[in-house]
Amino acid sequence: AQSVTQLDSQVPVFEEAPVELRCNYSSSVSVYLFWYVQYPNQGLQLLLKYLSGSTLVESINGFEAEFNKSQTSFHLRKPSVHISDTAEYFCAVSDPGGSQGNLIFGKGTKLSVKP
Amino acid sequence: EAQVTQNPRYLITVTGKKLTVTCSQNMNHEYMSWYRQDPGLGLRQIYYSMNVEVTDKGDVPEGYKVSRKEKRNFPLILESPSPNQTSLYFCASRYQQADTQYFGPGTRLTVL
């Protein structure tokens, strides 16, 4: 079965500093990869996703993630964070060849941006 | 507006009193899921459904039931709630496997 590991449960960072949130998944077969964001007291919303093609995917608010098949990783990065990026970020994986209902989430990383 | 709605948003109940949390989506999505979110454990899938009358267990199905009689609705039923089911619950839907999953606003359940 697929599993997702988010290596950091909390990441504190100062405003305008770069940040990387790490995500590794268990399977070496083809997968779909997602990052979701949860702002305080809200539901989850999609940040970006990798399905195929270019290994670097970007979101509209400056985040990017790179799919690395050999390292089974999908780390999320932003070169300069804002206070408004404070949220919990979840990495998720779906196996195209497996159960089509199953989207497996990591335990989340809380990003705290300080002024 | 495309959305997933859940009701109620907040619920406090007592052990053993049956309850239902409703979920509805207006996007004609095939797939619907229920998750629970607990501190330090992330989101864990309870049940999912790939279409009307097609449901399957997720990672933590014990103590829960679901039904999918209509495409838009996917209620979560707790026949005999227990305190360990105190959690934040999310319903979600998507059209196909590679598509964006849309989440409802969440239902915070407390079982005393």
Side-chain angles (χ1 to χ4, degrees), chain A residues 1-5 24-29 31 33 72-73 93 104:
Chain A
Q2 285 280 1
S3 66
V4 178
T5 302
N24 287 89
Y25 58 96
S26 60
S27 175
S28 60
V29 300
V31 292
L33 294 158
T72 60
S73 68
V93 62
I104 304 298

Side-chain angles (χ1 to χ4, degrees), chain B residues 15 25 57 61 65 69:
Chain B
T15 298
Q25 50 94 3
K57 296 177 180 179
K65 286 175 57 177
K69 292 182 170 49

Side-chain angles (χ1 to χ4, degrees), chain A residues 32 34 36 38 41-46 49 51 88 90 94-108, chain B residues 9 31 33 35 37 40-43 45 48 50 56 58-59 88 90 94 97-106 108:
Chain A
Y32 298 144
F34 306 81
Y36 283 82
Q38 184 179 30
N41 300 311
Q42 294 187 27
L44 282 78
Q45 51 189 282
L46 181 72
K49 64 181 177 182
L51 305 180
E88 190 160 17
F90 292 92
S94 178
D95 180 357
S99 168
Q100 295 208 19
N102 223 356
L103 184 63
I104 304 298
F105 284 84
K107 293 184 178 181
Chain B
R9 294 288 313 279
Y31 302 101
S33 297
Y35 296 87
Q37 183 179 19
L41 297 178
L43 277 85
Q45 192 175 51
Y48 60 91
M50 291 171 276
D56 205 351
D59 298 318
L88 179 58
F90 288 102
R94 56 181 165 155
Q97 191 177 22
D99 289 334
T100 300
Q101 182 149 260
Y102 291 86
F103 285 81
R108 188 167 292 281

Side-chain angles (χ1 to χ4, degrees), chain A residues 13-79:
Chain A
V13 64
F14 287 106
E15 194 173 19
E16 297 184 6
V19 71
E20 177 180 79
L21 307 184
R22 296 178 291 171
C23 172
N24 287 89
Y25 58 96
S26 60
S27 175
S28 60
V29 300
S30 296
V31 292
Y32 298 144
L33 294 158
F34 306 81
W35 276 100
Y36 283 82
V37 59
Q38 184 179 30
Y39 296 104
N41 300 311
Q42 294 187 27
L44 282 78
Q45 51 189 282
L46 181 72
L47 189 60
L48 47 76
K49 64 181 177 182
Y50 169 80
L51 305 180
S52 64
S54 172
T55 57
L56 187 66
V57 291
E58 299 177 351
S59 72
I60 58 173
N61 58 352
F63 282 94
E64 64 179 30
E66 186 161 20
F67 168 58
N68 188 319
K69 186 175 183 179
S70 62
Q71 297 186 8
T72 60
S73 68
F74 191 54
H75 301 332
L76 182 70
R77 303 184 185 94
K78 188 170 185 179

